[in-house]
Amino acid sequence: QRVDLRANYANQPHSRPMGAGKDLFALHKDGREIPVEISLSPLQTAEGQLIIAAIRDVSDRKALQDQLLSLSITDELTGLLNRRGFIEIGGKLRAIASRAQAQLVLIMIDIDDLKGINDEFGHSVGDQCIQDVASVLRNSLRESDVLCRWGGDEFLVLGMESNKITPHVLVDRIQHNLDSFKQHNNRPYTLSISVGVASGPPDNEDFDILVDEADREMYIAKQDGSSA
């Protein structure tokens, strides 16, 4: 393919500004693949046409761009995906589920009485509570599941349902790990959560319905006092 690109350019030489076109990569002398930008300029001489090429290593800039992207989709307090990251990464999982004709599992988790914890112990302790729940959730899920801090004291989990992994299996695992966490970590507050679950197809129109359904189920659980 690279030979074809060179041959096509030789047949129709033209100025190529630095950074134009697709992302390009080159091999560093130590064998690493690095991102580069290339400018090309045809030059007519008495000996025929020459091509002036300039190559610039943009590894540092690419790393900074990747870091900024990561920050833009990451919740600062918990290190989980934020809402924007969930929509972006969750969209990829939904596409996979659609191709596999698999059902989606959506779980909404809400921390019980976070306001009361903030009022009694201060916001730094409330932040610790949020981090505790984030840690429990992170350790309860599969690598393929998408977990985010949806906002405030709410979290969302998105995964694909299978014969072995059903919504109830995921919820039971979360509840078990939360109980284990409370047993082995002394906290000045009572750590409990309310959970709502929904499942359905990964279609775009149905996804918003799943979020609303999980939110309703979570609210019912909170009102009934059936928290973990």
Side-chain angles (χ1 to χ4, degrees):
Q1 184 179 5
R2 294 176 181 176
V3 174
D4 291 339
L5 290 174
R6 288 196 294 268
N8 291 336
Y9 185 84
N11 292 332
Q12 295 180 322
H14 56 279
S15 294
R16 184 186 191 279
M18 185 73 74
K22 298 180 179 179
D23 292 340
L24 299 174
F25 296 88
L27 286 179
H28 193 274
K29 62 182 179 181
D30 63 7
R32 290 181 296 116
E33 190 177 66
I34 60 173
V36 297
E37 291 181 345
I38 299 177
S39 69
L40 301 172
S41 301
L43 177 65
Q44 195 67 38
T45 70
E47 298 179 356
Q49 182 170 265
L50 301 177
I51 304 296
I52 300 175
I55 302 175
R56 178 165 61 197
D57 181 352
V58 293
S59 297
D60 290 343
R61 191 182 75 195
K62 182 66 174 174
L64 178 59
Q65 290 173 340
D66 291 343
Q67 182 182 12
L68 291 174
L69 175 61
S70 177
L71 289 173
S72 73
I73 64 174
T74 302
D75 175 59
E76 183 177 0
L77 179 62
T78 63
L80 303 178
L81 292 173
N82 58 21
R83 185 181 291 234
R84 175 180 175 181
F86 180 83
I87 292 172
E88 180 177 331
I89 306 301
K92 296 178 181 178
L93 179 61
R94 288 161 55 197
I96 294 172
S98 181
R99 289 194 295 270
Q101 296 183 329
Q103 293 282 95
L104 288 177
V105 177
L106 186 70
I107 304 173
M108 180 169 284
I109 300 101
D110 181 85
I111 300 174
D112 294 330
D113 196 27
L114 182 63
K115 182 180 184 303
I117 294 173
N118 285 328
D119 291 343
E120 183 174 356
F121 301 105
H123 284 274
S124 61
V125 175
D127 286 348
Q128 180 64 62
C129 178
I130 293 171
Q131 291 172 329
D132 286 345
V133 172
S135 177
V136 169
L137 295 176
R138 187 185 290 111
N139 294 327
S140 301
L141 304 174
R142 303 163 293 180
E143 289 187 6
S144 59
D145 295 326
V146 181
L147 168 64
C148 86
R149 183 183 178 197
W150 190 241
D153 56 356
E154 290 184 341
F155 300 83
L156 272 185
V157 177
L158 181 67
M160 285 197 299
E161 189 171 355
S162 68
N163 292 333
K164 294 183 179 179
I165 303 297
T166 65
H168 295 296
V169 169
L170 288 175
V171 171
D172 288 345
R173 187 182 298 168
I174 292 170
Q175 292 174 334
H176 172 78
N177 288 344
L178 182 64
D179 291 340
S180 177
F181 180 90
K182 289 189 287 188
Q183 182 179 352
H184 295 94
N185 294 271
N186 293 325
R187 292 290 189 261
Y189 49 81
T190 300
L191 181 61
S192 66
I193 59 175
S194 297
V195 180
V197 180
S199 61
D203 301 326
N204 288 335
E205 294 180 358
D206 293 330
F207 186 72
D208 289 338
I209 296 176
L210 282 182
V211 175
D212 291 340
E213 182 179 343
D215 184 51
R216 284 194 301 271
E217 292 296 321
M218 184 270 296
Y219 181 78
I220 291 172
K222 186 176 290 290
Q223 294 301 308
D224 289 345
S226 53
S227 303

